[in-house]
Amino acid sequence: MLKRAYVEITNICNLHCAFCPGTRRAPRTMTADEFSLVCTRIAPHVKYIYLHIMGEPLLHPQLAQFLEIAAAHDLRVCVTTNGTLLASRGDALLEAAALHKVSVSLHSFEGNEREDGLQSYLSDAWDFASAAAARGIICALRLWNEGALDARNGEILDFLREKTGAAEWETVRDGSRKLAERIYLENAARFDWPDLDAPERSTEFCLALREQFGVLVDGTVVPCCLDHEGDLALGNIFAQPLDEILRSPRAAAIYDGFSRRQPCEELCRRCGYAARF
């Protein structure tokens, strides 16, 4: 059994972050019937569903309904958001029985070269995190920008120190820092997204198809959450059983290639994130 599935409920975003490659795919939003089918087909394989590949999930007009659908399939939901809509749409998350974790990409603020509004943005993120934690939901505040577009990290850290009343925080097992009960700060270096035009790297291993796979908004199944263009399409979950897709020759070759520490796909050999494993 795999651990998680990344499901892109929309590939539309309200920001244009410098670190994000975006997508050349046509703008699309998944319907409730499509999402229900996805949940039906992934539920036997995973425990967690991550609403994240491209796009901003809080833009989806049926987000609350989608969370109910996930709960009906006994799936635990994790959401990754840029945080700009938490003040207006955060209640849909807080009221969801299936919500397990929300990750807020604080690095998106500087990634859009915004000059003003940092304090308001951070206050909205903190208020949401506090409300989520009180309901038993984990909240991770991300600064995945070390080494690039990180000039305002000091201001962000000062804000968090003021809110928590602590100069330093406990480092937990996964390397994140515990700011408060169920609220964590995740620091990481900026990584390069895989791209067929990028130079080859010394990539040897990845958790794709071992712990995770992804479903793009049009139903295309991909090995991981970084295949933002569907270059490694394995099949389509709207038209095929997931078992059939995961047993396809291409999926088997990807799995076996990583087992041998010899990635068989060109895109995988050009992935900056896989270097973290």
Side-chain angles (χ1 to χ4, degrees), residues 19-92:
F19 54 81
C20 177
T23 179
R24 296 185 298 273
R25 292 177 285 124
R28 193 180 191 281
T29 297
M30 196 175 284
T31 69
D33 286 344
E34 289 171 341
F35 185 72
S36 182
L37 177 59
V38 169
C39 288
T40 298
R41 290 188 165 169
I42 71 171
H45 297 269
V46 300
K47 180 179 180 181
Y48 296 96
I49 180 172
Y50 284 61
L51 303 186
H52 170 61
I53 295 183
M54 288 284 106
E56 169 53 54
L58 270 65
L59 281 175
H60 200 295
Q62 295 172 285
L63 178 61
Q65 182 182 356
F66 278 30
L67 294 168
E68 291 176 358
I69 292 170
H73 288 82
D74 293 323
L75 290 165
R76 301 291 288 157
V77 179
C78 301
V79 174
T80 299
T81 174
N82 59 41
T84 58
L85 302 176
L86 287 172
S88 60
R89 302 223 61 201
D91 285 349

Side-chain angles (χ1 to χ4, degrees), residues 49-259:
I49 180 172
Y50 284 61
L51 303 186
H52 170 61
I53 295 183
M54 288 284 106
E56 169 53 54
L58 270 65
L59 281 175
H60 200 295
Q62 295 172 285
L63 178 61
Q65 182 182 356
F66 278 30
L67 294 168
E68 291 176 358
I69 292 170
H73 288 82
D74 293 323
L75 290 165
R76 301 291 288 157
V77 179
C78 301
V79 174
T80 299
T81 174
N82 59 41
T84 58
L85 302 176
L86 287 172
S88 60
R89 302 223 61 201
D91 285 349
L93 297 176
L94 295 175
E95 294 168 4
L99 191 63
H100 173 69
K101 180 179 180 180
V102 177
S103 297
V104 185
S105 298
L106 298 183
H107 48 270
S108 66
F109 187 92
E110 192 166 354
N112 284 269
E113 299 182 352
R114 296 166 64 182
E115 297 294 334
D116 300 317
L118 178 60
Q119 293 299 309
S120 176
Y121 169 76
L122 293 175
S123 292
D124 287 346
W126 183 261
D127 289 347
F128 173 83
S130 299
R135 294 174 181 242
I137 302 163
I138 298 168
C139 195
L141 305 178
R142 289 179 172 177
L143 284 174
W144 286 14
N145 61 351
E146 293 178 354
L149 294 175
D150 60 359
R152 304 194 72 172
N153 282 11
E155 295 176 66
I156 295 172
L157 294 175
D158 286 344
F159 173 91
L160 295 175
R161 290 188 184 103
E162 180 181 348
K163 287 296 183 180
T164 61
E168 298 295 335
W169 303 287
E170 173 192 1
T171 300
V172 295
R173 187 172 56 182
D174 64 356
S176 63
R177 286 178 283 177
K178 185 176 182 179
L179 306 185
E181 193 64 32
R182 300 188 188 89
I183 305 177
Y184 300 88
L185 174 65
E186 297 179 355
N187 291 90
R190 177 177 169 176
F191 65 89
D192 295 323
W193 286 69
D195 190 294
L196 289 171
D197 294 327
E200 285 204 13
R201 300 172 176 269
S202 58
T203 302
E204 293 185 359
F205 185 72
C206 180
L207 296 174
L209 300 178
R210 278 178 162 73
E211 290 192 359
Q212 60 161 293
F213 62 93
V215 180
L216 300 181
V217 69
D218 66 352
T220 299
V221 176
V222 293
C224 77
C225 62
L226 297 178
D227 187 2
H228 56 98
E229 296 292 11
D231 292 311
L232 305 183
L234 304 175
N236 192 291
I237 201 168
F238 295 161
Q240 300 168 264
L242 185 59
D243 283 334
E244 176 184 306
I245 295 171
L246 297 179
R247 290 199 304 264
S248 68
R250 190 175 199 181
I254 292 171
Y255 187 100
D256 292 343
F258 282 123
S259 296

